[in-house]
Amino acid sequence: METQRCPLCGQPNPPQAEVCQYCQARLRPLWADSSSAPSSPPDNQVAKRSLPPESGEPLPPGRLSGMRSQIGTEESAQAEHPPQGVPPSKGTLESEDWLEGLFSGSSEGQAEDIPAWLRSLRGDSADKAERVEEPPMHPLFSASQPSVFSQAPQSKLELEGVSPPGEGEIGSGIAQEERPVPPFEGLDTFALEGHSFPGEDKLDTSTPLTAKEASPKSSPAAPSAEEDWMSEIPPWLETLPGQEWVEEESPEKAAPPELLHAAVPPFIETEEELSEVEFPSWLDEAERSIEPQLDTLIESLSPQTTEPSMGEKTPEGGLPQATAPFQEEALIEIAGPLHGLRGVLPAEPLVAAQTRPPRPIAELLVTEKQRAQAELFLKLIEAEGKPIPPPPLKRAKPHSFWRILIFLVLLTTAAVGLVIPPFAATPQELSVAVFDAMQAVGQLPGDATVLLVVDMEGGNFAEIQATTNALLDQMMIKGAFFVLVSTHQEGVLQADRLLREVSRLNGHRYQPSSGWVNLGYLPGGATGIQALSESLVELLPYTVEGKAAWQQDRLKNIRSISDFDLILVITEDSTRARQWVEQLNGKYTASKLLFAVSAQVEPVLRPYYEANPRQVQSMLAGIRDGAIYETQAARPGWATRFWSAYLIVVLTGIALITLGSLVYSISGLGLQKSSPREGNL
Amino acid sequence: MRQPFLSLSFSTLITFLTGTVVLLGYFTDLPPLDGLRLRFLQWAVLLSAVALLVGVLNLARVHWSRFGEGISKALMSLAFFLGFFVALLAGGLLGIQNTVTRALVDFVIVPIEASLFVVILVVLIYALTRMVRKQLSAFNFAFLATVVLALLGSVPLPATQIPFFQGEDSPISYALRVLGTAGVRGLLIGIALGSAVTGLRVLFGLDRPSGE
Amino acid sequence: MSLDFLTLDFFGSVLGVALTLLVLSYLIRDHFLLRFLLYGYVGLMAGFAVVLAFNILYPSLILPILADPIGGITQLAIPLALCSLLFLKAFPRLSPLGNLSLAFLVGVGLAALIGGAIQGTLIPQIRATIQPFDIHRQATATEERLSGLVQGLLILLGTITTLAYFHFGARPQVRGGVRRAEWIESLSRIGQLLIAIALGLIFAGLLKAGFVALIERTQALLQFVITLQRGL
């Protein structure tokens, strides 16, 4: 957004503001009519100035455009390498036009209104003495003036066939008809060249190039003796706002006089061309006449003023402040509360005003790639705000058909295995685990007391019953008394059922109270087992029937778990099995600890069983060990009854798994071929 | 008003103190400490029973609130309360070893759970066959081969003998047993290490499993 | 109350078969009756849990107070307070008051777990792993010693590689990402295979248990059909 800075306080203000929002200073001149261009923001002006002139752009105002049109193709042909780094600034052009208007005005037959000082510009040599005392000239002139006395700019001045103000006047005094170029035109060119110094590419963006700023107030050049010829501004000129001069000039006025056009020398760009130039005689004479004055002037100037080196100029084109007091004498405030006053000190130090970055140049550095990236970034930001609809959930297809097929096959084979006579003998091989279990049971004394831990659910009841049938049968034969406890809620119910079923199937007459007591549920997991292992009687004093458990005759001698003749843990949960092993470790003799578990627990329990020393005396796992036990004990039971059916069902299961895996492997290979993905194999 | 910071600190302190007492009593033979540990263990068992009651109470409250959420949900919650009160009557009034309670176990609980296990069996077999469809990796192959070989080695084939397969001392059975024991032992040691480290972190307040 | 055993057994068999078929119908599709049945089953187990929990609490907390109110309360003040606070967890507004009891329960439970894990699994299993390499171990024969050594070596390597699989310490790579050290990665690959074998054995055991359950249910169905045939 464009803003305009207050000339008094330097604060930014909206472009339409009439007065400063901060100090209430007037921002626009009161007399500026609608036709006059308001003081546009300086940044904007700099941006316009920074743009190189193109064919489609409007021509620079004032005399420069006229000059360009007159030179025509010759100029364009010779200026193949124009000073692109420094295109003519608007402020410069405005300043030129302001002065050019004076000349153009004089060329239109207004000789009767022309004051004496102005006539001297036309070559009236009678006013030479007055010229020395002229006030400081226009800032652009003054800006270029020091370069006149420096090395390089002077040669350029000479190259272009123009003379410094003093020389111009001298030249004009020689012969008006022979004078090819108005002196200010030469100065104009010189001023432009002066801005093309290295380091001056960044134009003074801080200084608003309005009429006010184009005034000597902001001119950094030191006043010289040659500039004094403009010190006396006529009253009619003082009444004119400088900016309006520029804006109100007609295109016709901007064009230089016709008589000067023919004398415009061709552009000279090299020193070789320079050496070939033949200077007119009037120029030599003027040079000789002005040399003493120049010497005097140079001697009178301080080194700082006479040598306005490049380093003294700020990147924005600022000039040494030593010139400010001279120039401020000619200032006329055109805005703000001090409007109309002359010689007002600048409210804003030049140094502070010169620190603004050259924003327009940065804007021009945006490349196509950066622009594309910016557009992409904007698109990404826009896309982030838009809700992305989630991909439709891919619901798994029901696999009822295959599941039913598998179930029916297994059910059929199980029914066949149960219906047909046993076709397979139970395994006769005595495993080490079964042997150890049989040995442990065989070592039980008569009327032994066994702690029976039953941690299982109803789903595993059949397997557990097949596994433990022979084992419990052997204990019942020995007349063991069972104390039931469970860390699983349902285990309390299943424990009673298990003993009832084993008793019924094997012809025992085991009943609750007489054959076993159920202590019920032991909550707390590992905590409960540890508490049980160390304070059995205190922890579970009553049975599930509410009777005092340890008052029975068979349990009077039991005070801790070490008093039991055997502990048999029956479980289908590997975690519970591990907890019982861990918590009973060191609390109970491992040789009296037996496990009758589901087949799925066997791999977890085997490291304890195969440890040295053993943490578990024996381990019966699954229907196979139960069948072996029954065979070895010659007490056929559930395992023997189920064995044929189990065998055929297991083989059917193996066949289903193998066949299904093969089929799906083939189909999976097809899938992987169609959509390759990373795999381990 | 609840002050989370104080509550958190006090809870952590209680956890640390009780855990330290039980641990020290477990690994040392100091009589007073051992007695205190046993007392703490007994209280913890009672607290576990109360926790079970609290869980059931919460479940019942949730089902009670579902009565106003439509007929379908109300019917399901009705089934829950039906079973709940039947169990309370059978187990609480008649007793665990009563005939009705036994019949409830024999004819309701065991059939349901055994049938659910059969359903799980079918689903597991189907899932096992489909496992290789997704990705045939070395892990999958080893898993599948182990399952098949373990099943095959557990049953003697009638009227035939597959070399290296049958019998407890057959090479396949031996390899599976030894390798399985090695793997499970590694798992058990890892579980024990993890349990000990995690438990110590919680005891010292470095981890807060309750999320407070 | 006494029921005719045969009548109870018959109707019980009918109920059991009906429930079995109802549950097995899940293989076809889920349906309302099955959900109704399962909700009832959950309620049944919850009711039994209440009964079993009460069987623990009644003789330990309530009965002593009923027998000797002053002495019982004095003796059981702390557990009673702890249980009362924990019971407040059932009420959301008073739930924070139960944190004390929960902290106590967590502390004791973790200590029991740690002690059991160290003394019941960690030390014995590590000792069992290195035991075959004890040169002072008495063996009856060189062949048995050699066999034990080979087996011990296999188990040792398997245990180490399995533990290496659970080593998750990794370092950032130059090419990005993190990765374990190469030798640990190699060991973990072997350990992964051994874990697959171990899990395969457990899975096979689960299938075996399922096969027995299937046979038992099939027998129940057949028994019911035979009973019906005999009755008809």
Side-chain angles (χ1 to χ4, degrees):
Chain A
M1 183 176 177
E2 294 181 351
T3 58
Q4 55 178 340
R5 285 192 174 272
C6 174
L8 192 60
C9 62
Q11 296 293 333
N13 288 279
Q16 297 84 8
E18 293 281 344
V19 295
C20 176
Q21 296 177 343
Y22 302 94
C23 65
Q24 304 302 322
R26 174 162 290 281
L27 300 175
R28 301 185 184 191
L30 289 172
W31 60 80
D33 57 11
S34 60
S35 60
S36 63
S39 57
S40 58
D43 290 347
N44 191 24
Q45 291 183 2
V46 174
K48 290 175 182 177
R49 277 180 281 149
S50 301
L51 291 168
E54 295 178 3
S55 58
E57 291 183 352
L59 288 172
R63 183 188 47 77
L64 187 59
S65 60
M67 179 178 169
R68 187 180 287 180
S69 62
Q70 287 180 9
I71 293 173
T73 56
E74 181 182 358
E75 179 185 11
S76 61
Q78 292 184 357
E80 288 180 1
H81 304 287
Q84 296 178 356
V86 186
S89 67
K90 185 177 179 182
T92 306
L93 294 173
E94 288 174 354
S95 304
E96 291 163 1
D97 293 343
W98 172 70
L99 292 170
E100 190 185 10
L102 297 177
F103 288 100
S104 58
S106 63
S107 63
E108 290 179 5
Q110 298 177 359
E112 61 277 6
D113 295 332
I114 297 174
W117 66 271
L118 191 56
R119 279 200 299 272
S120 65
L121 293 176
R122 292 188 171 182
D124 190 356
S125 57
D127 296 331
K128 275 184 181 178
E130 295 179 11
R131 286 197 304 255
V132 180
E133 283 83 25
E134 287 290 331
M137 60 190 301
H138 191 273
L140 286 173
F141 298 157
S142 59
S144 60
Q145 194 64 21
S147 299
V148 173
F149 303 106
S150 61
Q151 295 80 15
Q154 186 176 6
S155 62
K156 285 194 174 186
L157 182 71
E158 294 171 357
L159 281 174
E160 299 191 7
V162 293
S163 58
E167 293 178 6
E169 290 159 11
I170 294 169
S172 65
I174 295 172
Q176 288 186 1
E177 64 276 7
E178 293 179 1
R179 190 164 174 237
V181 178
F184 281 94
E185 186 164 356
L187 286 171
D188 179 16
T189 309
F190 173 71
L192 293 176
E193 293 289 336
H195 278 277
S196 65
F197 290 148
E200 211 175 3
D201 295 346
K202 298 174 183 177
L203 296 176
D204 185 6
T205 57
S206 65
T207 307
L209 292 176
T210 58
K212 173 188 173 183
E213 289 149 349
S215 68
K217 175 184 177 182
S218 60
S219 174
S224 62
E226 283 71 14
E227 293 169 350
D228 291 340
W229 60 274
M230 288 191 67
S231 60
E232 290 183 8
I233 298 175
W236 62 270
L237 190 56
E238 290 180 358
T239 58
L240 291 175
Q243 188 176 7
E244 292 178 354
W245 299 346
V246 178
E247 299 297 330
E248 292 177 5
E249 279 178 354
S250 61
E252 292 79 17
K253 289 182 180 179
E258 287 291 332
L259 71 162
L260 299 177
H261 290 172
V264 174
F267 284 104
I268 298 170
E269 297 182 356
T270 61
E271 291 186 5
E272 289 77 12
E273 292 174 340
L274 178 64
S275 62
E276 296 173 4
V277 172
E278 291 183 8
F279 294 101
S281 58
W282 61 269
L283 191 56
D284 296 333
E285 292 175 7
E287 187 177 355
R288 283 192 296 272
S289 64
I290 204 171
E291 273 183 0
Q293 297 178 11
L294 288 175
D295 293 337
T296 307
L297 183 62
I298 289 170
E299 289 173 5
S300 65
L301 293 175
S302 64
Q304 183 182 7
T305 314
T306 54
E307 296 178 5
S309 63
M310 305 295 293
E312 289 180 70
K313 289 189 174 183
T314 62
E316 286 77 15
L319 291 172
Q321 296 180 5
T323 60
F326 297 95
Q327 297 157 5
E328 284 166 6
E329 293 177 4
L331 278 177
I332 301 174
E333 284 293 325
I334 59 172
L338 303 179
H339 165 68
L341 297 179
R342 181 192 296 268
V344 175
L345 288 172
E348 184 179 10
L350 290 175
V351 175
Q354 291 165 1
T355 55
R356 267 190 289 169
R359 183 174 60 87
I361 293 177
E363 288 179 356
L364 290 174
L365 292 177
V366 176
T367 62
E368 286 298 323
K369 184 180 178 183
Q370 290 170 334
R371 193 184 303 279
Q373 288 175 344
E375 290 176 357
L376 182 63
F377 184 65
L378 287 175
K379 285 179 182 176
L380 284 174
I381 292 174
E382 289 177 359
E384 277 187 351
K386 295 177 181 175
I388 301 174
L393 291 175
K394 200 175 180 180
R395 295 194 65 175
K397 293 179 182 177
H399 305 283
S400 303
F401 175 76
W402 295 108
R403 290 190 306 202
I404 292 170
L405 185 65
I406 291 171
F407 170 70
L408 289 178
V409 170
L410 290 174
L411 186 71
T412 307
T413 52
V416 169
L418 287 170
V419 170
I420 64 174
F423 58 92
T426 54
Q428 304 293 323
E429 184 183 8
L430 178 61
S431 65
V432 179
V434 175
F435 177 78
D436 291 336
M438 292 182 72
Q439 198 174 27
V441 173
Q443 291 175 353
L444 279 178
D447 299 334
T449 309
V450 176
L451 179 63
L452 190 62
V453 179
V454 181
D455 287 341
M456 67 170 181
E457 295 177 350
N460 290 92
F461 183 82
E463 186 195 17
I464 292 296
Q465 187 178 6
T467 305
T468 60
N469 177 62
L471 183 69
L472 292 174
D473 176 47
Q474 291 296 312
M475 290 180 183
M476 287 180 180
I477 290 174
K478 286 251 182 183
F481 188 82
F482 297 98
V483 177
L484 309 183
V485 70
S486 176
T487 59
H488 193 285
Q489 295 97 319
E490 199 182 338
V492 180
L493 307 173
Q494 300 299 338
D496 273 327
R497 185 171 188 252
L498 179 65
L499 287 181
R500 276 190 284 111
E501 287 294 317
V502 171
S503 175
R504 183 178 61 83
L505 193 67
N506 296 288
H508 301 289
R509 297 189 177 184
Y510 264 71
Q511 294 291 329
S513 298
S514 61
W516 71 82
V517 292
N518 195 339
L519 298 179
Y521 172 58
L522 177 64
T527 308
I529 296 171
Q530 191 173 115
L532 180 81
S533 66
E534 302 199 27
S535 57
L536 170 70
V537 177
E538 292 83 3
L539 190 67
L540 299 172
Y542 294 95
T543 65
V544 290
E545 297 296 324
K547 299 175 182 175
W550 311 107
Q551 302 299 323
Q552 296 194 22
D553 295 337
R554 299 289 297 268
L555 300 178
K556 282 183 179 175
N557 297 326
I558 302 295
R559 285 294 170 263
S560 67
I561 60 165
S562 59
D563 295 331
F564 285 107
D565 296 306
L566 194 73
I567 294 179
L568 175 60
V569 180
I570 298 171
T571 183
E572 38 84 26
D573 189 343
S574 57
T575 303
R576 285 197 170 88
R578 184 170 54 83
Q579 285 178 347
W580 275 104
V581 174
E582 287 177 348
Q583 298 301 332
L584 292 182
N585 186 66
K587 307 290 191 309
Y588 189 73
T589 309
S591 61
K592 297 180 181 178
L593 181 60
L594 267 63
F595 273 79
V597 296
S598 170
Q600 56 189 310
V601 182
E602 189 258 346
V604 177
L605 212 56
R606 182 164 289 279
Y608 296 106
Y609 174 64
E610 293 187 349
N612 191 7
R614 282 182 181 174
Q615 293 181 267
V616 174
Q617 173 61 27
S618 180
M619 177 181 61
L620 293 181
I623 190 174
R624 177 188 166 90
D625 285 347
I628 292 173
Y629 203 118
E630 288 178 0
T631 305
Q632 294 296 325
R635 301 277 292 181
W638 275 71
T640 306
R641 187 187 299 177
F642 284 170
W643 184 251
S644 294
Y646 175 74
L647 181 65
I648 193 171
V649 168
V650 168
L651 292 177
T652 306
I654 292 171
L656 285 173
I657 292 170
T658 309
L659 193 65
S661 299
L662 283 175
V663 170
Y664 279 122
S665 296
I666 295 169
S667 65
L669 286 175
L671 274 179
Q672 288 172 0
K673 281 183 181 177
S674 61
S675 60
R677 57 174 177 265
E678 292 183 3
N680 297 335
L681 202 71
Chain B
M1 283 296 288
R2 183 187 177 194
Q3 298 180 10
F5 178 74
L6 292 177
S7 174
L8 173 66
S9 301
F10 192 63
S11 298
T12 307
L13 183 67
I14 291 294
T15 302
F16 172 74
L17 288 177
T18 54
T20 305
V21 166
V22 174
L23 262 184
L24 287 177
Y26 187 85
F27 286 107
T28 61
D29 287 331
L30 297 173
L33 209 60
D34 203 37
L36 193 59
R37 178 179 72 96
L38 289 179
R39 193 59 57 88
F40 279 4
L41 287 171
Q42 291 171 6
W43 292 350
V45 169
L46 296 178
L47 281 174
S48 300
V50 174
L52 180 64
L53 284 180
V54 169
V56 172
L57 194 65
N58 189 52
L59 185 65
R61 196 181 59 204
V62 169
H63 278 285
W64 182 262
S65 66
R66 284 161 55 97
F67 275 118
E69 297 179 3
I71 294 178
S72 176
K73 289 183 178 179
L75 280 176
M76 298 303 158
S77 295
L78 184 65
F80 169 82
F81 280 110
L82 200 64
F84 184 75
F85 287 116
V86 165
L88 282 182
L89 284 174
L93 293 181
L94 302 177
I96 297 293
Q97 292 173 333
N98 186 270
T99 307
V100 176
T101 309
R102 283 159 42 190
L104 209 59
V105 174
D106 291 347
F107 301 125
V108 177
I109 294 177
V110 170
I112 289 175
E113 291 183 350
S115 303
L116 285 173
F117 198 11
V118 171
V119 171
I120 291 172
L121 169 74
V122 173
V123 172
L124 284 178
I125 290 176
Y126 183 58
L128 184 66
T129 57
R130 283 180 64 87
M131 183 183 69
V132 294
R133 186 171 182 261
K134 278 287 181 185
Q135 189 182 18
L136 188 58
S137 64
F139 185 90
N140 289 354
F141 184 77
F143 182 82
L144 183 63
T146 303
V147 170
V148 173
L149 291 177
L151 287 176
L152 201 58
S154 67
V155 287
L157 294 179
T160 181
Q161 184 78 20
I162 303 176
F164 308 116
F165 272 95
Q166 305 299 326
E168 197 177 53
D169 294 328
S170 64
I172 296 295
S173 297
Y174 179 80
L176 286 179
R177 192 172 65 245
V178 170
L179 295 178
T181 302
V184 171
R185 184 165 284 169
L187 288 174
L188 287 174
I189 292 174
I191 290 170
L193 281 172
S195 301
V197 171
T198 306
L200 287 174
R201 286 180 63 84
V202 174
L203 283 186
F204 285 99
L206 300 175
D207 284 341
R208 298 181 180 91
S210 57
E212 296 175 357
Chain C
M1 186 172 65
S2 62
L3 290 173
D4 183 13
F5 181 76
L6 290 177
T7 308
L8 183 66
D9 194 46
F10 175 75
F11 283 108
S13 299
V14 172
L15 182 62
V17 167
L19 294 176
T20 300
L21 293 176
L22 204 57
V23 173
L24 291 177
S25 66
Y26 176 78
L27 292 171
I28 301 171
R29 57 167 297 183
D30 189 13
H31 53 89
F32 174 80
L33 279 179
L34 177 61
R35 287 200 299 275
F36 189 84
L37 173 67
L38 293 181
Y39 271 92
Y41 166 74
V42 171
L44 204 62
M45 299 313 297
F48 276 122
V50 170
V51 172
L52 294 173
F54 188 77
N55 283 342
I56 290 287
L57 294 174
Y58 179 76
S60 301
L61 284 181
I62 301 172
L63 205 57
I65 296 174
L66 291 177
D68 181 12
I70 299 175
I73 290 177
T74 308
Q75 190 179 357
L76 298 172
I78 297 177
L80 206 59
L82 288 173
C83 291
S84 302
L85 288 175
L86 187 62
F87 196 74
L88 295 178
K89 277 281 180 188
F91 308 98
R93 290 184 180 178
L94 303 173
S95 175
L97 295 174
N99 286 344
L100 177 69
S101 302
L102 207 59
F104 178 85
L105 192 59
V106 168
V108 176
L110 284 176
L113 201 67
I114 293 168
I118 292 175
Q119 208 164 33
T121 294
L122 201 58
I123 295 173
Q125 290 303 310
I126 291 175
R127 188 192 303 158
T129 306
I130 61 177
Q131 194 79 30
F133 305 100
D134 185 5
I135 57 174
H136 300 296
R137 190 169 66 100
Q138 293 182 352
T140 53
T142 309
E143 185 181 349
E144 186 182 342
R145 184 182 298 178
L146 189 65
S147 170
L149 199 64
V150 171
Q151 182 173 338
L153 191 66
L154 286 173
I155 290 177
L156 175 67
L157 289 176
T159 305
I160 291 173
T161 53
T162 305
L163 284 172
Y165 178 75
F166 292 104
H167 177 77
F168 296 115
R171 293 179 178 176
Q173 301 292 306
V174 178
R175 285 175 286 179
V178 290
R179 190 178 168 83
R180 294 186 287 193
E182 192 58 40
W183 64 277
I184 291 180
E185 196 72 34
S186 304
L187 286 179
S188 70
R189 287 196 197 99
I190 302 172
Q192 191 181 16
L193 281 180
L194 290 174
I195 289 172
I197 291 172
L199 295 180
L201 287 173
I202 294 172
F203 192 86
L206 186 61
L207 293 184
K208 289 177 195 173
F211 288 145
V212 178
L214 172 71
I215 292 166
E216 190 268 337
R217 279 297 89 195
T218 308
Q219 191 205 25
L221 293 173
L222 286 175
Q223 189 71 38
F224 179 71
V225 173
I226 292 169
T227 305
L228 283 181
Q229 282 181 341
R230 286 177 183 171
L232 291 174

